[in-house]
Amino acid sequence: MTSAEKTDDVEWQEVPVSVRAAVDRALSRQQRDALGEVELILDAALRVAERVSPAEPKVADIVAEAGTSNQTFYRYFAGKPDLMLAVVERGLVRVAGYLDHQMSKHTDPVEQVVAWVDGLLTQLVRPDAARQGSAVMQQLATTGRMREPAGLALLDRLGALLVAPVTALGRPEPARDAQVLQETLMGVLQRHVVNGTAPDEPERAHLVAFCVRAVDATRGAR
């Protein structure tokens, strides 16, 4: 900590508690307002990307759809690539939350792996999610942002959920196994997204069985 930071900290601590509380309330309101504006822009980006796909959505159209301004847009995003990456990150965070919830319903690690695979495939077959996911991923494929470290780290959030159950199954390298399963499923999802299709029941059953055999030694030996 620099001397300036120390001085600032001392000065803040000397501010009356009631004044600090007033400042905190104002900042909280500003954060809520900012989050609301960002959510409007992200939702608008999804709708516009889906509507114009496979063409590239324009910032002007996204701004108009959100009912905001260019000034507000560029207050939060450096440009459209940053916006689309944020759209994907929000989507993946929501999917990760859904998968974690589905997995938490089970105590058996094999059933948790099944819940992860089936849950990820379930997200794909939802018509709205499939259309929006296809539109957004096409844009990110053009910019290459998902191949950058930040983009790859987003996908790793999904695979990280598998580490605990795979560890419980006694695998010697659970993190590597989780990474392979994640990349396998994401490859399948990408193929369907690009083609505008969804896995049917036989394919889903095969993928679930394949992933279980890959990490469950007792089944993998059969």
Side-chain angles (χ1 to χ4, degrees):
M1 180 180 292
T2 65
S3 57
E5 289 173 329
K6 290 180 180 179
T7 302
D8 290 343
D9 184 59
V10 170
E11 290 177 351
W12 176 248
Q13 294 302 322
E14 292 176 350
V15 172
V17 173
S18 59
V19 175
R20 277 187 280 159
V23 172
D24 288 339
R25 283 194 295 273
L27 291 176
S28 295
R29 285 195 297 271
Q30 290 177 351
Q31 288 177 336
R32 287 196 300 271
D33 291 344
L35 180 59
E37 289 179 332
V38 169
E39 290 286 342
L40 284 175
I41 294 171
L42 295 179
D43 289 341
L46 270 176
R47 293 192 298 271
V48 173
E50 179 185 353
R51 191 163 61 237
V52 305
S53 182
E56 186 176 350
K58 298 178 180 178
V59 170
D61 293 335
I62 295 172
V63 168
E65 181 78 16
T68 184
S69 64
N70 283 342
Q71 181 180 7
T72 299
F73 177 89
Y74 287 107
R75 181 186 306 151
Y76 300 114
F77 302 103
K80 188 168 52 182
D82 286 343
L83 166 65
M84 302 312 288
L85 191 64
V87 169
V88 170
E89 180 173 15
R90 184 181 65 165
L92 288 175
V93 167
R94 290 176 174 176
V95 171
Y98 170 77
L99 296 179
D100 187 47
H101 175 69
Q102 295 301 107
M103 294 170 71
S104 69
K105 297 177 181 179
H106 307 279
T107 55
D108 180 75
V110 170
E111 292 178 351
Q112 290 177 338
V113 172
V114 171
W116 184 90
V117 177
D118 202 47
L120 198 54
L121 294 175
T122 296
Q123 293 299 300
L124 176 67
V125 299
R126 285 175 44 215
D128 59 334
R131 290 193 304 270
Q132 293 176 346
S134 175
V136 173
M137 293 306 291
Q138 284 177 355
Q139 297 306 316
L140 286 174
T142 301
T143 64
R145 294 300 298 272
M146 290 303 291
R147 294 190 295 272
E148 296 176 0
L152 295 174
L154 295 181
L155 296 177
D156 287 343
R157 294 187 182 192
L158 303 181
L161 295 171
L162 286 173
V163 174
V166 172
T167 299
L169 288 169
R171 297 287 297 180
E173 296 186 88
R176 288 183 182 274
D177 289 340
Q179 181 83 24
V180 170
L181 292 185
Q182 169 196 297
E183 292 178 354
T184 299
L185 264 293
M186 293 310 294
V188 172
L189 296 181
Q190 184 176 20
R191 170 169 56 84
H192 280 291
V193 164
V194 170
N195 294 327
T197 57
D200 56 20
E201 284 304 319
E203 183 179 7
R204 292 179 68 164
H206 178 80
L207 284 168
V208 169
F210 175 84
C211 291
V212 168
R213 286 195 301 270
V215 295
D216 184 358
T218 61
R219 301 189 188 199
R222 296 176 187 175

